[in-house]
Amino acid sequence: MPQRTNKAHAIIVMGVSGSGKSSIGEKLAEALSLRFIEGDQLHPASNVEKMSKGIPLSDADRMPWLDLIGEAMKDALAKGKGVIVTCSALKRLYRERLRAAAGGNLFFVYLEGSRELLTERMGHRKGHFMPSSLLESQLETLEAPTGEPGVVTVDIDGTVEGIAEEARKKLAPLGVS
């Protein structure tokens, strides 16, 4: 396993449901020798219940969840350890809240794909609380992070390994290795 010599940093693998955040996040964490946190596991039970019923989350629903993700990143960074967390981070407001929690030491990997590919992927998932019906709501809410600092965009039309490798290569010039 390669030794990391650079400053600890946090990375959020973001995108709408079905974009592959968990799979890519795990593979990227492995490649960069970083801890991986599945952001969905930090959702309060009330959020999971709403989404399970096909009810989109409001900003008020998301804020406590974003704060838990922020705390997880802040704790890791305070210990000098890097971390990768999955989070839809659909709005710029959410990403700014997460940047503040991480003390600005945060990068985003935005997983971007077509509506057709996302719909197909969600149709193949088993045992996930997020129904395919909420994809449309997420796409309507999404404020793409194009042009924001510390963001790399990766197309999801490929293998998990290929997408994670492209993300790693795009992060390297930002000092993430």
Side-chain angles (χ1 to χ4, degrees):
M1 192 171 277
Q3 289 296 312
R4 295 177 58 251
T5 57
N6 56 342
K7 180 179 170 185
H9 43 262
I11 300 168
I12 288 187
V13 178
M14 66 162 288
V16 297
S17 192
S19 61
K21 294 182 294 291
S22 299
S23 300
I24 303 307
E26 287 176 346
K27 191 61 75 175
L28 191 58
E30 182 182 305
L32 296 174
S33 302
L34 295 175
R35 178 176 170 219
F36 173 73
I37 298 173
E38 171 55 66
D40 280 347
Q41 293 179 353
L42 300 177
H43 267 297
S46 58
N47 284 6
V48 174
E49 184 179 341
K50 274 183 103 169
M51 290 183 285
S52 296
K53 293 177 179 177
I55 302 168
L57 297 180
S58 67
D59 286 352
D61 294 325
R62 286 189 177 104
M63 292 307 164
W65 173 59
L66 293 170
D67 290 342
L68 289 171
I69 290 172
E71 283 301 314
M73 291 187 304
K74 188 175 173 181
D75 290 347
L77 293 172
K79 295 173 185 167
K81 300 189 183 289
V83 64
I84 292 181
V85 186
T86 58
C87 175
S88 53
L90 298 174
K91 291 184 178 182
R92 185 176 188 125
L93 169 74
Y94 306 163
R95 294 186 294 275
E96 293 301 330
R97 190 176 188 107
L98 293 165
R99 284 183 179 104
N105 189 19
L106 177 60
F107 299 93
F108 289 88
V109 174
Y110 170 45
L111 301 176
E112 183 177 57
S114 70
R115 173 174 291 164
E116 295 75 27
L117 181 55
L118 293 162
T119 301
E120 177 186 327
R121 284 182 171 195
M122 287 189 75
H124 293 298
R125 294 198 312 189
K126 303 282 186 256
H128 195 280
F129 63 82
M130 175 75 91
S132 299
S133 61
L134 286 181
L135 175 60
E136 199 57 43
S137 167
Q138 285 202 332
L139 289 170
E140 288 171 10
T141 302
L142 177 66
E143 297 171 3
T146 310
E148 291 179 24
V151 175
V152 299
T153 301
V154 181
D155 189 281
I156 63 167
D157 193 8
T159 64
V160 169
E161 293 77 13
I163 296 165
E165 179 60 14
E166 183 180 348
R168 190 193 62 74
K169 285 180 180 175
K170 286 185 171 185
L171 286 166
L174 301 177
V176 179
S177 58

